[in-house]
Amino acid sequence: MASARERRRISLMGGRIEDYALLSDLQTAALVGRDGAVDWLCLPRFDSPSCFAALLGSPEHGAWRIAPAGAGDCTGRRYLGDTLVLESHWRTPDGEVKVVDLMPHRDRAPRLVRIVEGVSGAVPVRGELRLRFHHGRVDPWVRRTEHHRVAVAGPDAAWLRVPPGVHTYGADGTTVSEFTARPGERVPFVLTWQPSHLSTAPRTDPEALLAATLDGWREWAGQLRYRGEWREAVLRSLLTLKALAYEPTGGIVAAPTSSLPEVPGGERNWDYRFCWLRDSAMTLSALLRGGFRQEAAAWRKWLLRAVAGDPSDVQAVYGVAGERGLPETEADWLPGHLGSTPVRFGNAAVGQLQLDVYGEVVDTLDLALRAGIPMERQVWSLLRTLLGSLAARWREPDEGLWEVRCGRRQFTHSKVMAWVAADRAVRMAEATGLPAPLEQWRALREAVHAEVCERAVDPLRGVFVRSYGSTELDAATLFVATTGFLPPDDRRVVRTVEAVQEGLDHGGLVRRYGQGAADGLSGSEGAFLACSFWLADALALLGRSDEAAELFVRTASLANDLGLLSEQWDPVGRRQLGNTPQAFTHVALVNTAFRLGG
């Protein structure tokens, strides 16, 4: 085992966030690096403890690498068509080899399948499997069966099925597999997780799993109705959003990772493996625009279950099955990605008040209704309950969209989204004729609108500011245009868009707020990618379509070679920052593409 100093040295030499590819079985996800290593995997759910945590430390914290012996990064990689099946390719002095990686859509047990295919020559291949349960902290006991290596620790067991003819042995806490790949030969490995009290793992046919997984993704992608010029980026974003949906319940996670830094070496490291109402609702809006209705129906059912209870106790974030308790802890045994600490699991945002989520949820319900999904009685009852709670609370300060840790304020964006909730509720009631206190909702809409216009505008500059009485800019104020709060030709809207474009510029992209703005944390940030797409939306509404398209292309081009985007971009270091892939960013990409002519 490496020393703490050595682990930190290794972590500081870590790869770039954009080096990773995403695999998903619609219940959890894995990240695969260019070097052929699976450096992140939580089992059996997105928010379960990881068994591979090298992403936040070193290979000693769990990883599974399969690659030509002695080789570095792959020569090239791609997803096989409109799927999340990854093919990595190496050219070596001995010949060529491919590794096909996939997570089959789950029947009972989660599986990670890796198929090595010889292309030319005779290539020595080496596999190194280090299973470390509980986020890299627990070394399992490993035993051998006829065709498996079985690793057990506490409630977890992982079964590695090794093909005949592959030399496999244990060395220093690692299961090593060695063989030679020859043209036309396919050598499959299957890693299966199940509870440790079960005595056998189900047998599988890796090739059949591959065929079914390819067919499943292609069938889903075939529903896309976008016909604009950015089809590839839009479809890849929608596939990514689908991959973040927890199929058994309909919940959608914000990202499959935890504690990837917003500032390398800094403290802005958060766990995003949960379901924010805001992020989930926005994800559904993107899927609906793309023509994917089934996910909207499933998410509505998840929403009903998650928020059941006291309407005044609606949380901003829940577990994938609707869990309310997500205590935030720090993993001091992990040195963090690029030495960024603390590494956090759980999220204290669960206890914050974020009033904007009412607007995002109601807006998505309205979009679903306009997409032809009938309004069910229990959903309408929930909407009425949410509006009643909002009417009682909208004047309160909150932590807002950006989840600040410096105390509550009267954030402009929160108030604008409160107006959105009332506005969309009125629109749905008028469209459906369902019973509703329409006059109360209209009065709420008018009261919020009047207060925001009076208190959220800087009287000297005539721009909407971050919070009442401040002079700070906030990219979220762009929503005064994109939500219909004010018409795009209103002088306050025009001035706000221009102020954000100039005052929050960071290397041709957009910060979410100014560097000096208080948020309770140390260190500056990169450009927030979703905000750059929001600015493109606003510019398009102002009739500045060429500028909008240019900004869209510039931002979308920051995706990695597989079309994946994280939360932020560092224009100086030219690298992605934050958890990846980030639903918020991909949602914004899809919505902007549709706005610009999808």
Side-chain angles (χ1 to χ4, degrees):
M1 179 71 72
S3 67
R5 181 176 181 179
E6 177 67 7
R7 292 199 305 271
R8 181 170 177 81
R9 184 191 69 81
I10 293 172
S11 72
L12 288 168
M13 295 170 59
R16 300 163 72 89
I17 289 170
E18 57 266 33
D19 286 344
Y20 288 98
L22 173 72
L23 307 177
S24 171
D25 67 355
L26 307 183
Q27 297 190 40
T28 190
L31 294 189
V32 187
R34 295 180 187 272
D35 62 352
V38 181
D39 284 344
W40 182 254
L41 176 60
C42 299
L43 291 171
R45 306 192 329 180
F46 289 107
D47 54 357
S48 299
S50 65
C51 64
F52 299 144
L55 183 68
L56 300 176
S58 77
E60 289 296 324
H61 296 103
W64 185 15
R65 185 169 191 249
I66 298 180
D73 287 354
C74 63
T75 308
R77 61 180 182 171
R78 60 172 183 150
Y79 284 121
L80 297 180
D82 298 335
T83 77
L84 258 71
V85 176
L86 177 70
E87 180 186 85
S88 303
H89 182 258
W90 280 264
R91 292 188 180 93
T92 78
D94 299 306
E96 300 181 25
V97 68
K98 296 178 181 178
V99 178
V100 175
D101 291 321
L102 62 139
M103 294 192 73
H105 294 181
R106 196 180 300 186
D107 50 8
R108 181 171 67 85
R111 301 181 182 91
L112 176 57
V113 178
R114 315 196 72 183
I115 302 174
V116 182
E117 178 183 351
V119 178
S120 66
V123 183
V125 176
R126 180 179 174 90
E128 296 181 350
L129 172 64
R130 295 181 179 91
L131 283 158
R132 302 292 186 267
F133 294 112
H134 193 65
H135 298 308
R137 192 175 192 179
V138 178
D139 290 4
W141 288 353
V142 181
R143 59 184 172 86
R144 179 175 181 170
T145 67
E146 183 179 359
H147 295 296
H148 289 90
R149 298 297 189 278
V150 186
V152 175
D156 299 295
W159 297 64
L160 174 66
R161 182 167 178 81
V162 181
V166 174
H167 178 47
T168 301
Y169 59 93
D172 299 324
T174 302
T175 299
V176 179
S177 299
E178 295 176 331
F179 61 99
T180 299
R182 305 182 188 279
E185 294 181 352
R186 291 169 67 87
V187 181
F189 295 81
V190 180
L191 184 68
T192 302
W193 179 95
Q194 61 183 15
S196 59
H197 65 271
L198 299 180
S199 59
T200 60
R203 298 290 292 269
T204 59
D205 179 348
E207 297 292 348
L209 291 174
L210 171 60
T213 303
L214 288 169
D215 288 345
W217 283 114
R218 288 167 178 161
E219 181 181 356
W220 186 85
Q223 302 173 68
L224 177 66
R225 67 182 187 189
Y226 176 84
R227 296 294 182 266
E229 62 181 297
W230 300 296
R231 182 185 183 279
E232 183 177 350
V234 168
L235 179 56
R236 182 51 55 188
S237 289
L238 289 169
L239 283 164
T240 301
L241 296 174
K242 174 64 173 175
L244 301 181
Y246 184 69
E247 191 172 52
T249 66
I252 301 172
V253 299
T257 56
S258 176
S259 292
L260 290 181
E262 298 171 11
V263 182
E267 66 170 327
R268 297 171 181 262
N269 317 310
W270 315 110
D271 191 348
Y272 279 9
R273 300 170 303 141
F274 307 112
C275 304
W276 273 257
L277 292 188
R278 173 194 312 109
D279 297 53
S280 297
M282 288 183 170
T283 299
L284 259 296
S285 72
L287 288 166
L288 280 168
R289 287 186 172 95
F292 301 98
R293 293 160 48 104
Q294 182 178 349
E295 290 74 17
W299 178 77
R300 288 203 319 190
K301 293 177 180 178
W302 174 86
L303 177 68
L304 286 168
R305 296 190 299 270
V307 305
D310 185 353
S312 65
D313 192 32
V314 170
Q315 296 181 176
V317 56
Y318 296 86
V320 295
E323 295 89 347
R324 288 176 170 263
L326 309 173
E328 186 175 296
T329 60
E330 297 181 2
D332 58 7
W333 63 90
L334 287 171
H337 186 83
L338 300 178
S340 307
T341 58
V343 171
R344 296 182 173 94
F345 296 112
N347 201 303
V350 71
Q352 289 189 346
L353 176 62
Q354 299 174 26
L355 289 170
D356 65 293
V357 300
Y358 289 90
E360 277 99 15
V361 168
V362 177
D363 190 43
T364 299
L365 295 177
D366 176 53
L367 183 61
L369 180 65
R370 288 187 286 127
I373 299 175
M375 177 61 69
E376 299 171 349
R377 183 181 301 274
Q378 61 268 36
V379 177
W380 188 251
S381 177
L382 168 64
L383 185 144
R384 293 187 57 170
T385 301
L386 291 175
L387 265 290
S389 177
L390 179 63
R393 305 199 68 178
W394 73 269
R395 286 190 169 89
E396 296 180 25
D398 70 343
E399 279 87 2
L401 167 71
W402 305 127
E403 301 181 345
V404 299
R405 299 200 173 196
C406 60
R408 295 179 177 179
R409 296 171 66 175
Q410 299 283 5
F411 287 107
T412 299
H413 174 261
S414 296
K415 308 305 182 187
V416 170
M417 296 311 297
W419 175 88
V420 168
D423 179 72
R424 304 316 191 249
V426 168
R427 185 160 70 187
M428 283 186 281
E430 291 174 342
T432 63
L434 290 168
L438 259 176
E439 291 308 312
Q440 294 179 27
W441 289 356
R442 291 178 179 134
L444 173 62
R445 180 175 62 179
E446 292 172 6
V448 176
H449 197 278
E451 180 176 292
V452 172
C453 290
E454 178 184 355
R455 301 185 61 189
V457 178
D458 181 344
L460 296 179
R461 294 178 293 170
V463 303
F464 285 92
V465 290
R466 188 181 183 210
S467 61
Y468 291 174
S470 77
T471 59
E472 298 168 345
L473 296 175
D474 188 333
T477 57
L478 295 170
F479 279 67
V480 299
T482 56
T483 61
F485 181 86
L486 285 173
D489 58 355
D490 186 286
R491 66 182 184 279
R492 293 162 295 183
V493 171
V494 175
R495 290 173 180 172
T496 299
V497 173
E498 292 173 345
V500 167
Q501 185 178 25
E502 179 180 353
L504 296 182
D505 177 80
H506 188 33
L509 301 170
V510 181
R511 296 184 187 272
R512 52 181 175 173
Y513 42 77
Q515 293 192 67
D519 60 12
L521 299 163
S522 62
S524 60
E525 297 183 326
F528 204 86
L529 293 172
C531 295
S532 301
F533 289 121
W534 297 348
L535 177 58
D537 290 337
L539 290 170
L541 285 171
L542 267 57
R544 295 159 60 175
S545 299
D546 290 344
E547 280 184 78
E550 180 184 358
L551 179 55
F552 172 84
V553 170
R554 185 189 316 142
T555 308
S557 70
L558 301 176
N560 72 0
D561 56 314
L562 299 172
L564 302 178
L565 288 161
S566 67
E567 185 178 45
Q568 299 184 26
W569 175 259
D570 177 6
V572 178
R574 303 295 299 172
R575 64 186 304 156
Q576 294 187 16
L577 299 172
N579 285 304
T580 192
Q582 177 76 9
F584 215 46
T585 306
H586 284 282
V587 165
L589 184 155
V590 171
N591 289 340
T592 303
F594 270 95
R595 187 182 295 276
L596 294 177

